[in-house]
Short mmCIF file of all heavy atoms in Angstrom, two decimals:
data_model
loop_
_atom_site.label_atom_id
_atom_site.label_comp_id
_atom_site.label_asym_id
_atom_site.label_seq_id
_atom_site.Cartn_x
_atom_site.Cartn_y
_atom_site.Cartn_z
N THR A 1 0.81 -1.22 0.00
CA THR A 1 0.00 0.00 0.00
C THR A 1 0.84 1.26 0.00
O THR A 1 0.32 2.35 -0.21
CB THR A 1 -0.90 0.02 1.24
OG1 THR A 1 -0.09 0.03 2.42
CG2 THR A 1 -1.82 -1.19 1.26
N GLY A 2 2.14 1.14 0.26
CA GLY A 2 2.99 2.32 0.38
C GLY A 2 3.24 2.70 1.83
O GLY A 2 4.15 3.47 2.11
N GLU A 3 2.43 2.16 2.76
CA GLU A 3 2.65 2.37 4.17
C GLU A 3 3.30 1.12 4.77
O GLU A 3 3.26 0.05 4.19
CB GLU A 3 1.33 2.67 4.88
CG GLU A 3 0.67 3.96 4.38
CD GLU A 3 -0.60 4.26 5.15
OE1 GLU A 3 -1.01 3.41 5.95
OE2 GLU A 3 -1.16 5.34 4.94
N HIS A 4 3.89 1.29 5.95
CA HIS A 4 4.66 0.21 6.55
C HIS A 4 4.06 -0.17 7.89
O HIS A 4 3.69 0.70 8.69
CB HIS A 4 6.12 0.61 6.70
CG HIS A 4 6.78 0.89 5.38
ND1 HIS A 4 6.67 2.10 4.73
CD2 HIS A 4 7.52 0.09 4.57
CE1 HIS A 4 7.33 2.04 3.59
NE2 HIS A 4 7.84 0.85 3.47
N GLY A 5 3.97 -1.48 8.13
CA GLY A 5 3.38 -1.97 9.36
C GLY A 5 4.18 -1.59 10.58
O GLY A 5 5.41 -1.41 10.52
N GLN A 6 3.51 -1.47 11.74
CA GLN A 6 4.13 -1.14 13.02
C GLN A 6 4.87 0.19 12.95
O GLN A 6 5.87 0.40 13.63
CB GLN A 6 5.09 -2.25 13.45
CG GLN A 6 4.42 -3.60 13.60
CD GLN A 6 5.41 -4.70 13.96
OE1 GLN A 6 6.61 -4.50 13.88
NE2 GLN A 6 4.89 -5.84 14.35
N ALA A 7 4.40 1.10 12.12
CA ALA A 7 5.02 2.41 12.00
C ALA A 7 3.93 3.48 12.09
O ALA A 7 2.88 3.37 11.46
CB ALA A 7 5.76 2.55 10.67
N ALA A 8 4.21 4.51 12.88
CA ALA A 8 3.26 5.61 13.02
C ALA A 8 3.28 6.47 11.76
O ALA A 8 4.17 6.35 10.91
CB ALA A 8 3.61 6.45 14.25
N ASP A 9 2.30 7.35 11.66
CA ASP A 9 2.23 8.23 10.49
C ASP A 9 3.47 9.10 10.39
O ASP A 9 3.97 9.37 9.30
CB ASP A 9 0.97 9.10 10.58
CG ASP A 9 -0.30 8.28 10.43
OD1 ASP A 9 -0.22 7.17 9.88
OD2 ASP A 9 -1.37 8.76 10.87
N VAL A 10 3.97 9.54 11.54
CA VAL A 10 5.18 10.37 11.55
C VAL A 10 6.37 9.57 11.01
O VAL A 10 7.19 10.09 10.24
CB VAL A 10 5.47 10.89 12.97
CG1 VAL A 10 6.78 11.66 13.00
CG2 VAL A 10 4.32 11.76 13.47
N THR A 11 6.45 8.30 11.39
CA THR A 11 7.56 7.47 10.91
C THR A 11 7.46 7.22 9.42
O THR A 11 8.47 7.23 8.70
CB THR A 11 7.57 6.12 11.66
OG1 THR A 11 7.57 6.36 13.07
CG2 THR A 11 8.80 5.31 11.30
N ASN A 12 6.24 6.99 8.91
CA ASN A 12 6.07 6.84 7.47
C ASN A 12 6.52 8.09 6.72
O ASN A 12 7.12 8.00 5.64
CB ASN A 12 4.59 6.55 7.14
CG ASN A 12 4.24 5.09 7.34
OD1 ASN A 12 4.97 4.20 6.93
ND2 ASN A 12 3.12 4.84 8.00
N ARG A 13 6.25 9.24 7.30
CA ARG A 13 6.71 10.51 6.71
C ARG A 13 8.24 10.56 6.71
O ARG A 13 8.85 10.96 5.71
CB ARG A 13 6.12 11.65 7.52
CG ARG A 13 6.79 13.00 7.32
CD ARG A 13 6.37 13.66 6.04
NE ARG A 13 6.96 14.98 5.90
CZ ARG A 13 7.00 15.65 4.77
NH1 ARG A 13 6.47 15.13 3.68
NH2 ARG A 13 7.55 16.85 4.71
N GLU A 14 8.87 10.13 7.80
CA GLU A 14 10.33 10.14 7.87
C GLU A 14 10.94 9.16 6.87
O GLU A 14 12.01 9.42 6.30
CB GLU A 14 10.78 9.80 9.29
CG GLU A 14 10.47 10.89 10.32
CD GLU A 14 10.89 10.50 11.72
OE1 GLU A 14 11.25 9.31 11.91
OE2 GLU A 14 10.88 11.37 12.61
N ILE A 15 10.28 8.02 6.66
CA ILE A 15 10.77 7.05 5.66
C ILE A 15 10.74 7.69 4.27
O ILE A 15 11.71 7.57 3.50
CB ILE A 15 9.92 5.77 5.70
CG1 ILE A 15 10.18 5.00 6.99
CG2 ILE A 15 10.20 4.89 4.49
CD1 ILE A 15 9.29 3.79 7.18
N ASP A 16 9.66 8.36 3.93
CA ASP A 16 9.57 9.02 2.63
C ASP A 16 10.66 10.07 2.46
O ASP A 16 11.29 10.17 1.39
CB ASP A 16 8.20 9.68 2.47
CG ASP A 16 7.08 8.65 2.33
OD1 ASP A 16 7.40 7.51 1.94
OD2 ASP A 16 5.92 8.99 2.61
N VAL A 17 10.92 10.84 3.52
CA VAL A 17 11.95 11.88 3.45
C VAL A 17 13.33 11.26 3.30
O VAL A 17 14.17 11.73 2.52
CB VAL A 17 11.89 12.79 4.70
CG1 VAL A 17 13.07 13.75 4.72
CG2 VAL A 17 10.57 13.56 4.73
N ALA A 18 13.59 10.16 4.04
CA ALA A 18 14.90 9.51 3.95
C ALA A 18 15.15 8.94 2.56
O ALA A 18 16.26 9.05 2.01
CB ALA A 18 14.99 8.41 5.01
N VAL A 19 14.12 8.34 1.97
CA VAL A 19 14.26 7.80 0.61
C VAL A 19 14.51 8.92 -0.38
O VAL A 19 15.39 8.82 -1.26
CB VAL A 19 13.00 6.99 0.22
CG1 VAL A 19 13.03 6.62 -1.26
CG2 VAL A 19 12.89 5.73 1.06
N ARG A 20 13.77 10.02 -0.24
CA ARG A 20 13.96 11.16 -1.14
C ARG A 20 15.36 11.74 -1.00
O ARG A 20 16.01 12.08 -2.01
CB ARG A 20 12.92 12.24 -0.83
CG ARG A 20 12.97 13.43 -1.79
CD ARG A 20 12.02 14.51 -1.35
NE ARG A 20 12.42 15.05 -0.05
CZ ARG A 20 11.67 15.86 0.69
NH1 ARG A 20 10.46 16.20 0.27
NH2 ARG A 20 12.10 16.30 1.85
N ASP A 21 15.88 11.82 0.23
CA ASP A 21 17.23 12.36 0.43
C ASP A 21 18.29 11.48 -0.21
O ASP A 21 19.27 11.99 -0.79
CB ASP A 21 17.50 12.52 1.93
CG ASP A 21 16.67 13.62 2.57
OD1 ASP A 21 16.11 14.46 1.81
OD2 ASP A 21 16.57 13.65 3.82
N LEU A 22 18.13 10.16 -0.10
CA LEU A 22 19.10 9.26 -0.73
C LEU A 22 19.10 9.43 -2.25
O LEU A 22 20.18 9.42 -2.89
CB LEU A 22 18.77 7.80 -0.37
CG LEU A 22 19.19 7.32 1.01
CD1 LEU A 22 18.60 5.94 1.30
CD2 LEU A 22 20.71 7.27 1.13
N LEU A 23 17.93 9.57 -2.84
CA LEU A 23 17.84 9.74 -4.29
C LEU A 23 18.44 11.07 -4.72
O LEU A 23 19.16 11.15 -5.72
CB LEU A 23 16.39 9.64 -4.74
CG LEU A 23 15.71 8.28 -4.50
CD1 LEU A 23 14.24 8.33 -4.90
CD2 LEU A 23 16.42 7.17 -5.28
N GLU A 24 18.16 12.12 -3.96
CA GLU A 24 18.71 13.44 -4.30
C GLU A 24 20.22 13.45 -4.15
O GLU A 24 20.93 14.05 -4.96
CB GLU A 24 18.08 14.51 -3.41
CG GLU A 24 16.62 14.82 -3.73
CD GLU A 24 16.45 15.36 -5.14
OE1 GLU A 24 17.35 16.08 -5.63
OE2 GLU A 24 15.42 15.04 -5.78
N LYS A 25 20.73 12.76 -3.13
CA LYS A 25 22.18 12.68 -2.94
C LYS A 25 22.83 11.94 -4.12
O LYS A 25 23.87 12.37 -4.64
CB LYS A 25 22.49 11.96 -1.63
CG LYS A 25 23.97 11.80 -1.35
CD LYS A 25 24.20 11.03 -0.05
CE LYS A 25 25.69 10.80 0.19
NZ LYS A 25 25.92 10.00 1.43
N GLY A 26 22.21 10.82 -4.57
CA GLY A 26 22.75 10.10 -5.71
C GLY A 26 22.72 10.91 -6.98
O GLY A 26 23.67 10.88 -7.78
N PHE A 27 21.64 11.68 -7.18
CA PHE A 27 21.54 12.52 -8.37
C PHE A 27 22.60 13.62 -8.35
O PHE A 27 23.24 13.89 -9.38
CB PHE A 27 20.14 13.14 -8.43
CG PHE A 27 19.93 14.04 -9.62
CD1 PHE A 27 19.61 13.52 -10.86
CD2 PHE A 27 20.05 15.41 -9.50
CE1 PHE A 27 19.44 14.33 -11.96
CE2 PHE A 27 19.87 16.24 -10.58
CZ PHE A 27 19.56 15.70 -11.83
N THR A 28 22.81 14.23 -7.19
CA THR A 28 23.82 15.30 -7.08
C THR A 28 25.21 14.76 -7.35
O THR A 28 26.02 15.39 -8.04
CB THR A 28 23.74 15.94 -5.69
OG1 THR A 28 22.43 16.44 -5.46
CG2 THR A 28 24.75 17.07 -5.56
N ARG A 29 25.53 13.57 -6.80
CA ARG A 29 26.85 12.98 -7.04
C ARG A 29 27.05 12.69 -8.52
O ARG A 29 28.13 12.95 -9.08
CB ARG A 29 26.99 11.68 -6.24
CG ARG A 29 27.05 11.86 -4.73
CD ARG A 29 27.17 10.52 -4.05
NE ARG A 29 28.46 9.91 -4.35
CZ ARG A 29 28.70 8.61 -4.22
NH1 ARG A 29 27.72 7.78 -3.87
NH2 ARG A 29 29.90 8.12 -4.47
N ALA A 30 26.04 12.13 -9.17
CA ALA A 30 26.15 11.82 -10.59
C ALA A 30 26.34 13.09 -11.40
O ALA A 30 27.19 13.13 -12.33
CB ALA A 30 24.91 11.06 -11.06
N LYS A 31 25.60 14.14 -11.08
CA LYS A 31 25.72 15.38 -11.84
C LYS A 31 27.08 16.03 -11.64
O LYS A 31 27.68 16.56 -12.60
CB LYS A 31 24.61 16.34 -11.43
CG LYS A 31 24.48 17.55 -12.34
CD LYS A 31 23.24 18.37 -12.00
CE LYS A 31 23.12 19.56 -12.96
NZ LYS A 31 21.89 20.35 -12.66
N ASP A 32 27.61 15.99 -10.42
CA ASP A 32 28.94 16.56 -10.17
C ASP A 32 30.02 15.83 -10.98
O ASP A 32 30.95 16.45 -11.51
CB ASP A 32 29.26 16.48 -8.68
CG ASP A 32 28.41 17.43 -7.85
OD1 ASP A 32 27.84 18.38 -8.44
OD2 ASP A 32 28.31 17.23 -6.62
N ILE A 33 29.89 14.50 -11.05
CA ILE A 33 30.86 13.72 -11.84
C ILE A 33 30.80 14.12 -13.30
O ILE A 33 31.84 14.32 -13.97
CB ILE A 33 30.60 12.21 -11.66
CG1 ILE A 33 30.95 11.76 -10.25
CG2 ILE A 33 31.38 11.40 -12.69
CD1 ILE A 33 30.53 10.34 -9.93
N LEU A 34 29.61 14.27 -13.85
CA LEU A 34 29.46 14.59 -15.26
C LEU A 34 29.89 16.02 -15.57
O LEU A 34 30.36 16.30 -16.67
CB LEU A 34 28.01 14.36 -15.70
CG LEU A 34 27.53 12.90 -15.60
CD1 LEU A 34 26.07 12.79 -16.00
CD2 LEU A 34 28.38 11.99 -16.48
N ILE A 35 29.74 16.92 -14.61
CA ILE A 35 30.23 18.29 -14.82
C ILE A 35 31.75 18.28 -14.95
O ILE A 35 32.33 18.96 -15.82
CB ILE A 35 29.78 19.21 -13.65
CG1 ILE A 35 28.27 19.45 -13.73
CG2 ILE A 35 30.53 20.54 -13.68
CD1 ILE A 35 27.72 20.22 -12.54
N ARG A 36 32.40 17.49 -14.09
CA ARG A 36 33.87 17.40 -14.16
C ARG A 36 34.32 16.70 -15.44
O ARG A 36 35.40 17.00 -15.95
CB ARG A 36 34.42 16.65 -12.94
CG ARG A 36 34.17 17.34 -11.61
CD ARG A 36 35.08 16.76 -10.52
NE ARG A 36 35.02 15.31 -10.46
CZ ARG A 36 34.21 14.63 -9.66
NH1 ARG A 36 33.36 15.30 -8.88
NH2 ARG A 36 34.22 13.31 -9.63
N ARG A 37 33.53 15.77 -15.94
CA ARG A 37 33.92 14.99 -17.11
C ARG A 37 33.06 15.36 -18.32
O ARG A 37 32.74 14.50 -19.14
CB ARG A 37 33.81 13.50 -16.80
CG ARG A 37 34.61 13.05 -15.59
CD ARG A 37 34.69 11.54 -15.49
NE ARG A 37 35.39 10.96 -16.63
CZ ARG A 37 35.67 9.66 -16.74
NH1 ARG A 37 35.30 8.83 -15.79
NH2 ARG A 37 36.28 9.20 -17.81
N ARG A 38 32.73 16.63 -18.45
CA ARG A 38 31.86 17.07 -19.54
C ARG A 38 32.48 16.79 -20.91
O ARG A 38 31.77 16.42 -21.86
CB ARG A 38 31.57 18.57 -19.40
CG ARG A 38 30.70 19.16 -20.49
CD ARG A 38 29.33 18.49 -20.55
NE ARG A 38 28.56 18.88 -21.72
CZ ARG A 38 27.70 19.89 -21.74
NH1 ARG A 38 27.52 20.64 -20.64
NH2 ARG A 38 27.02 20.17 -22.83
N ALA A 39 33.79 16.94 -21.02
CA ALA A 39 34.44 16.68 -22.31
C ALA A 39 34.29 15.21 -22.70
O ALA A 39 34.01 14.89 -23.87
CB ALA A 39 35.92 17.06 -22.24
N ASP A 40 34.47 14.28 -21.74
CA ASP A 40 34.28 12.86 -22.03
C ASP A 40 32.83 12.56 -22.37
O ASP A 40 32.54 11.71 -23.23
CB ASP A 40 34.71 12.02 -20.82
CG ASP A 40 36.22 12.05 -20.59
OD1 ASP A 40 36.95 12.28 -21.57
OD2 ASP A 40 36.65 11.85 -19.45
N LEU A 41 31.89 13.25 -21.70
CA LEU A 41 30.47 13.04 -21.97
C LEU A 41 30.14 13.42 -23.41
O LEU A 41 29.45 12.66 -24.12
CB LEU A 41 29.64 13.86 -20.99
CG LEU A 41 28.11 13.78 -21.14
CD1 LEU A 41 27.63 12.35 -20.89
CD2 LEU A 41 27.44 14.75 -20.17
N ASP A 42 30.62 14.57 -23.86
CA ASP A 42 30.34 15.00 -25.23
C ASP A 42 31.00 14.08 -26.26
O ASP A 42 30.38 13.68 -27.25
CB ASP A 42 30.82 16.44 -25.43
CG ASP A 42 30.00 17.43 -24.61
OD1 ASP A 42 28.82 17.14 -24.35
OD2 ASP A 42 30.55 18.48 -24.23
N ALA A 43 32.27 13.73 -26.00
CA ALA A 43 32.99 12.88 -26.95
C ALA A 43 32.36 11.49 -27.04
O ALA A 43 32.21 10.92 -28.12
CB ALA A 43 34.46 12.78 -26.55
N GLY A 44 31.98 10.93 -25.87
CA GLY A 44 31.37 9.61 -25.88
C GLY A 44 30.02 9.60 -26.56
O GLY A 44 29.69 8.65 -27.28
N ALA A 45 29.22 10.64 -26.37
CA ALA A 45 27.92 10.71 -27.02
C ALA A 45 28.07 10.81 -28.54
O ALA A 45 27.30 10.17 -29.29
CB ALA A 45 27.13 11.90 -26.48
N GLN A 46 29.03 11.59 -29.00
CA GLN A 46 29.25 11.70 -30.44
C GLN A 46 29.70 10.37 -31.04
O GLN A 46 29.26 10.00 -32.14
CB GLN A 46 30.30 12.79 -30.72
CG GLN A 46 29.86 14.19 -30.36
CD GLN A 46 28.58 14.59 -31.10
OE1 GLN A 46 28.41 14.32 -32.28
NE2 GLN A 46 27.67 15.26 -30.38
N LEU A 47 30.55 9.65 -30.31
CA LEU A 47 30.99 8.34 -30.80
C LEU A 47 29.83 7.35 -30.82
O LEU A 47 29.71 6.53 -31.75
CB LEU A 47 32.14 7.82 -29.93
CG LEU A 47 32.83 6.54 -30.41
CD1 LEU A 47 33.46 6.75 -31.79
CD2 LEU A 47 33.87 6.07 -29.41
#
């Protein structure tokens, strides 16, 4: 259902926030890597 057993509504909210933070952290790390390697990104895409 998207909710978790033996967890209060506040805890379900914290689970959603924690999952969102992990995804945002992964996206930021990926974007920082690609900014540093922009030349490789362009060259690889053209190839």
Side-chain angles (χ1 to χ4, degrees):
T1 62
E3 298 183 353
H4 298 83
Q6 301 177 347
D9 293 338
V10 176
T11 307
N12 279 315
R13 163 77 177 165
E14 291 178 350
I15 290 174
D16 290 338
V17 172
V19 170
R20 184 185 64 191
D21 290 345
L22 282 171
L23 297 176
E24 288 298 326
K25 179 182 177 182
F27 180 81
T28 302
R29 292 179 68 200
K31 191 172 182 179
D32 290 342
I33 290 171
L34 296 178
I35 290 174
R36 296 197 309 267
R37 304 191 63 176
R38 179 60 189 269
D40 291 335
L41 179 63
D42 292 332
Q46 294 302 318
L47 187 61

